[in-house]
Amino acid sequence: NAGVTQTPKFRVLKTGQSMTLLCAQDMNHEYMYWYRQDPGMGLRLIHYSVGEGTTAKGEVPDGYNVSRLKKQNFLLGLESAAPSQTSVYFCASSLSGGRQETQYFGPGTRLLVL
Amino acid sequence: GENVEQHPSTLSVQEGDSAVIKCTYSDSASNYFPWYKQELGKGPQLIIDIRSNVGEKKDQRIAVTLNKTAKHFSLHITETQPEDSAVYFCAATSPRGALNFGKGTSLLVTP
């Protein structure tokens, strides 16, 4: 099993450009999450999904959209990138999203917005 | 919402010594407390977790303790080695099932 994979690994954008980050998992997990990690801030939840076709907002959702068209994929979109969205983005998944479920993380996508 | 405080933010120990990282949480309904290790350029990796029905859990050189009354939990690493150097994050479950993370502890183990 590859676990949780993310593409791309690194990307540079200009302000106003758009892009999509892809997360894929091969563990048949129901729940998937997008976090961002900034220096000194830990990881903060952007959006999450409790199953195919469903998404919900997390702690810092503004400026991002997500889609879960297939169970194994969770896409994070930036419609109009801003320098404040420079960050490292991590995707995670868990089997059923229960409150005692382990989350497994991908390797991250480093995004720089100029 | 849930607030997870983590201390210290940086910790330097000599090889062979013990390291302790402490976290407190605010939501009394939290019942799952994982610890993640993050090496440079990589994603967080789960190293140990504890559920609210136990007070302590050990896995070789790593142990976690939980005090639900005081709402705090701690990570203990004994006989530290240079490869233990990394950033460690504690987390607690939020009402929606996601994780609320502490801000991380940068551990440096010097030979």
Side-chain angles (χ1 to χ4, degrees), chain B residues 10-25:
Chain B
T10 61
L11 180 60
S12 181
V13 300
Q14 285 200 316
E15 183 176 0
D17 288 348
S18 295
V20 180
I21 303 170
K22 298 182 179 182
C23 289
T24 61
Y25 61 98

Side-chain angles (χ1 to χ4, degrees), chain A residues 35 37 40 42-43 45 48 90 99-103 105-107 110, chain B residues 29 31-32 36 38 41 43 46 49 51 89 93-94 96 98-99 103:
Chain A
Y35 293 89
Q37 184 178 36
L43 291 100
L45 183 67
Y48 66 104
F90 289 100
R99 296 198 62 187
Q100 297 193 354
E101 283 285 338
T102 299
Q103 290 188 21
F105 282 80
R110 284 148 186 78
Chain B
N31 57 6
Y32 176 61
Y36 286 86
Q38 186 177 27
L46 180 75
D49 57 13
R51 291 169 172 81
F89 291 95
T93 46
S94 71
R96 59 169 73 92
L99 292 173
K103 294 185 178 180

Side-chain angles (χ1 to χ4, degrees), chain A:
Chain A
N1 286 351
V4 180
T5 58
Q6 294 182 233
T7 52
K9 288 185 170 57
F10 178 68
R11 184 77 183 267
V12 179
L13 287 180
K14 294 182 180 178
T15 297
Q17 287 185 318
S18 64
M19 78 163 294
T20 300
L21 283 68
L22 172 64
C23 175
Q25 52 91 9
D26 61 0
M27 298 176 283
N28 202 33
H29 284 177
E30 289 292 336
Y31 276 56
M32 297 185 75
Y33 312 83
W34 276 108
Y35 293 89
R36 61 177 289 174
Q37 184 178 36
D38 302 293
M41 297 293 291
L43 291 100
R44 293 181 291 169
L45 183 67
I46 304 171
H47 285 280
Y48 66 104
S49 168
V50 304
E52 183 178 322
T54 67
T55 62
K57 293 181 180 180
E59 180 186 354
V60 287
D62 294 342
Y64 305 96
N65 57 74
V66 288
S67 64
R68 184 96 180 271
L69 299 179
K70 293 182 180 181
K71 185 177 183 178
Q72 62 268 34
N73 295 337
F74 194 28
L75 278 62
L76 178 70
L78 286 74
E79 290 187 351
S80 178
S84 61
Q85 294 177 304
T86 292
S87 188
V88 182
Y89 293 86
F90 289 100
C91 176
S93 70
S94 64
L95 182 60
S96 62
R99 296 198 62 187
Q100 297 193 354
E101 283 285 338
T102 299
Q103 290 188 21
Y104 298 89
F105 282 80
T109 293
R110 284 148 186 78
L111 177 64
L112 174 62
V113 183
L114 302 175

Side-chain angles (χ1 to χ4, degrees), chain B residues 56-97:
Chain B
E56 183 175 2
K57 183 177 178 181
K58 278 187 178 181
D59 183 3
Q60 299 183 337
R61 296 186 296 109
I62 296 174
V64 57
T65 59
L66 171 65
N67 183 328
K68 286 218 73 179
T69 303
K71 295 184 193 171
H72 65 71
F73 56 112
S74 301
L75 177 71
H76 304 254
I77 305 174
T78 59
E79 300 173 21
T80 54
Q81 301 167 3
E83 51 264 39
D84 293 330
S85 296
V87 179
Y88 291 81
F89 291 95
C90 64
T93 46
S94 71
R96 59 169 73 92

